Amino acid sequence: MMKKSLIAIALMGAFTATAANAANIDNTVYVGAGAALSNYNHVDTNSNLGAHNAFGWNALVGYSFNKYFAVEAGWQDFGTNKDVKQTGVSEGQQVKVRGATLGLVGTLPLNDNWFLTGEAGAIQYHIAHTIKTGQYVSDNDTAPYAGVGIGYNITENLAVAAKYRYFHGLDENQWNTADMNAQTVGVQLTYRFGVKADPVIAPVVVAPVVKPVVVAPKYVTKTETNKTDVFFGFNSSSLTDAAIAKLNNVIKLSHEGQKSNVVLVGQADNQGNPAYNMKLSQKRVEKVAEYLKANGVNTTSLDVTAVGSEDAKGNTIADHKLDRKVVVTLTTESQVLVK
């Protein structure tokens, strides 16, 4: 008995199976029942009882741990072997076997509906052997079994399968009156509770990444020129208030451009000695340059020129006043965005 129990436990522990079902059957319970033709074979009794077919049935309850395997507990009734081969026994002898099963079941799908099954486990059976009228023996023992099948999913919950099972060593060991094996071939119907349909995953639509078109800004150089006449008094190189106001405006304009250049040309009227007038125009232009620098003119270059009275054209008192000056020419450059 111990040997057969160890074999049964080893078969159950070693059995593995894989499955992939369309529905999510994780942690679900199912029940089932089936009918089968039982065949007692390799029969060895002390009263010449031979091999015979019988009608049997089974019921079961199962639990699926996940999509890959389940455990089943059930009840198996093999029917009665009552073949009479002993001459002179009118009543005939018979053997009845039934018991509780426990095993692992795995499923391998062929497509969305068809699948294959494999199972292994053990049966705790009761054998009743009627040898003849008034002579009856029985025993309880454990035997291993294994099986295969092919099934069809009628719905997500309901399935039908054709199954073959082989039971090894259904023996009567109490009195050693019977040693035999058994196999069953039949149809089994199962119903599963709590089946969840696999969630429908919507396709992820990835919008194309449109890179923005970066247009480099275009600039043009804008050049502006401003001329200012800064006037002086007769025989003087001092800046008047009017002259200072004009120079302050030049300084302001020089900061409005990105690049500025200043050209100063000092003049005198044509009265008196030309050499003296040259020195006077030099003083005037230097006075203007000093003021611009001291008050923060924004310029990359400042050119100073004295021309004396060579450009003087005045012949009257009014005209002479217009020749006593420094001509300030401010040229600015700016980068302007083209729209």
Side-chain angles (χ1 to χ4, degrees):
M1 181 185 299
M2 180 65 68
K3 182 178 179 181
K4 289 190 291 182
S5 298
L6 291 175
I7 294 174
I9 295 171
L11 281 172
M12 293 174 65
F15 181 80
T16 57
T18 59
N21 299 326
N24 183 359
I25 64 171
D26 291 0
N27 303 312
T28 57
V29 176
Y30 60 94
V31 295
L37 183 65
S38 302
N39 176 257
Y40 294 97
N41 55 72
H42 297 95
V43 177
D44 182 13
T45 68
N46 58 8
S47 54
N48 300 318
L49 182 65
H52 184 67
N53 295 328
F55 179 79
W57 61 273
N58 75 299
L60 62 96
V61 59
Y63 180 83
S64 294
F65 294 101
N66 52 42
K67 295 181 179 181
Y68 304 102
F69 70 94
V71 61
E72 281 186 4
W75 181 261
Q76 178 70 49
D77 190 322
F78 294 90
T80 304
N81 181 359
K82 52 185 177 180
D83 190 15
V84 179
K85 287 196 174 183
Q86 185 177 7
T87 304
V89 179
S90 58
E91 297 88 353
Q93 66 172 309
Q94 63 183 19
V95 174
K96 293 182 180 179
V97 182
R98 65 196 66 183
T101 59
L102 179 65
L104 295 177
V105 180
T107 303
L108 177 67
L110 302 177
N111 53 39
D112 289 342
N113 296 104
W114 291 96
F115 59 90
L116 297 177
T117 63
E119 58 184 308
I123 181 171
Q124 181 68 39
Y125 67 90
H126 174 78
I127 180 171
H129 184 192
T130 302
I131 300 173
K132 61 182 178 180
T133 303
Q135 188 174 359
Y136 169 88
V137 295
S138 65
D139 190 18
N140 295 312
D141 207 345
T142 304
Y145 74 88
V148 293
I150 183 170
Y152 182 84
N153 291 313
I154 302 172
T155 67
E156 290 183 348
N157 303 88
L158 188 64
V160 63
K163 290 206 168 187
Y164 169 81
R165 279 177 164 181
Y166 182 79
F167 298 80
H168 179 75
L170 301 176
D171 305 332
E172 191 280 296
N173 295 305
Q174 186 71 26
W175 305 97
N176 294 319
T177 62
D179 295 306
M180 60 187 178
N181 304 321
Q183 55 188 345
T184 62
V185 178
V187 177
Q188 180 175 287
L189 194 67
T190 57
Y191 183 85
R192 188 178 301 276
F193 301 93
V195 177
K196 299 177 182 179
D198 284 340
V200 178
I201 301 175
V204 178
V205 179
V206 180
V209 178
V210 180
K211 294 183 179 180
V213 178
V214 180
V215 179
K218 293 183 179 180
Y219 295 89
V220 295
T221 301
K222 180 181 179 182
T223 303
E224 292 186 353
T225 300
N226 291 282
K227 277 191 175 185
T228 302
D229 292 337
V230 178
F231 295 102
F232 289 83
F234 176 74
N235 196 27
S236 173
S237 60
S238 299
L239 294 173
T240 64
D241 291 340
I244 290 174
K246 289 185 177 182
L247 293 177
N248 287 338
N249 187 57
V250 170
I251 294 170
K252 176 177 177 292
L253 292 176
S254 71
H255 286 276
E256 294 179 358
Q258 295 172 329
K259 183 178 180 182
S260 301
N261 297 290
V262 176
V263 176
L264 305 179
V265 178
Q267 296 181 193
D269 60 25
N270 53 14
Q271 299 179 82
N273 185 285
Y276 179 82
N277 290 335
M278 176 61 75
K279 292 180 180 181
L280 183 58
S281 66
Q282 183 70 36
K283 290 179 181 181
R284 289 171 176 170
V285 75
E286 289 176 354
K287 195 72 173 181
V288 171
E290 289 173 2
Y291 184 87
L292 292 176
K293 291 178 181 180
N295 289 277
V297 67
N298 180 32
T299 180
T300 56
S301 64
L302 195 154
D303 297 329
V304 177
T305 303
V307 295
S309 57
E310 64 182 41
D311 291 335
K313 301 175 181 178
N315 295 316
T316 64
I317 295 175
D319 292 338
H320 291 322
K321 290 181 180 181
L322 297 178
D323 288 334
R324 303 169 194 147
K325 63 184 177 180
V326 171
V327 179
V328 182
T329 303
L330 172 66
T331 303
T332 58
E333 294 181 359
S334 303
Q335 295 296 313
V336 180
L337 179 64
V338 178
K339 296 182 179 180

